[in-house]
Amino acid sequence: MPPKRVLDATAFFLDIPLEGELFTTPAVVGEIVDARSRCRLEALSAAGLVVTSPCASSLQIIGKAASVTGDESVLSRADREVLALALDTGAEVVTDDFAVQNVAHHLGIPVVPLQQRKAKKRKWKFRCPGCGRLAEGPGECPVCGSGLKRTLK
């Protein structure tokens, strides 16, 4: 049985063969603007690529998971839709985006990187560039009010 795969925009920028039952979302299609990637989109569509939106409940699950992993502030709408559609279809996600991979790992969604190495699961911390304090989530520093930056330390 061929694998089910949800494609992130990276899959349209590269000329790497893709097999299986392929899916993507309208937000990803909206990110594809250059002529070469549009041709790839058209070719994959002719071969059976399905463009569909994920259900709202899956998007909520992705939002909660991204909050837990600390990736909430860096995931685009397209990233969230790709992950949610993978939940809906039981598919693996084809992406090189480390934040997408991190949330996918957290939820047990299989990931297929294209050019990058596979990302390791991370739990981000947030450091204040002003006073150096660590925080668990994004936002402003409760001590000095500076915007917190995502970090591994």
Side-chain angles (χ1 to χ4, degrees):
M1 186 166 165
K4 289 182 179 180
R5 294 183 168 157
V6 178
L7 308 180
D8 194 2
T10 308
F12 299 97
F13 301 144
L14 305 171
D15 286 328
I16 295 174
L18 296 167
E19 297 177 356
E21 197 175 341
L22 305 178
F23 300 87
T24 197
T25 71
V28 170
V29 171
E31 291 181 342
I32 302 168
V33 293
D34 66 284
R36 184 172 173 218
S37 299
R38 281 298 232 194
C39 287
R40 178 121 164 109
L41 171 64
E42 290 174 18
L44 289 172
S45 294
L49 172 72
V50 175
V51 179
T52 187
S53 296
C55 69
S57 61
S58 293
L59 284 168
Q60 288 178 336
I61 292 169
I62 298 305
K64 288 177 185 173
S67 179
V68 169
T69 63
D71 294 297
E72 187 174 27
S73 64
V74 295
L75 287 181
S76 69
R77 175 186 166 140
D79 295 338
R80 293 169 192 270
E81 285 188 5
V82 163
L83 288 162
L85 188 57
L87 282 178
D88 290 348
T89 59
E92 56 194 20
V93 174
V94 178
T95 185
D96 279 343
D97 186 306
F98 284 167
V100 172
Q101 290 185 35
N102 195 42
V103 175
H105 290 317
H106 180 77
L107 292 170
I109 299 169
V111 174
V112 178
L114 292 170
Q115 287 188 311
Q116 303 289 330
R117 63 177 168 77
K118 203 176 234 184
K120 295 177 183 172
K121 188 174 181 179
R122 303 256 189 237
K123 173 83 167 101
W124 297 101
K125 297 282 186 184
F126 294 84
R127 181 176 299 279
C128 175
C131 67
R133 303 241 177 177
L134 283 175
E136 289 296 317
E140 292 182 352
C141 177
V143 176
C144 71
S146 295
L148 299 172
K149 303 287 183 186
R150 193 169 77 151
T151 182
L152 286 174
K153 296 182 180 189

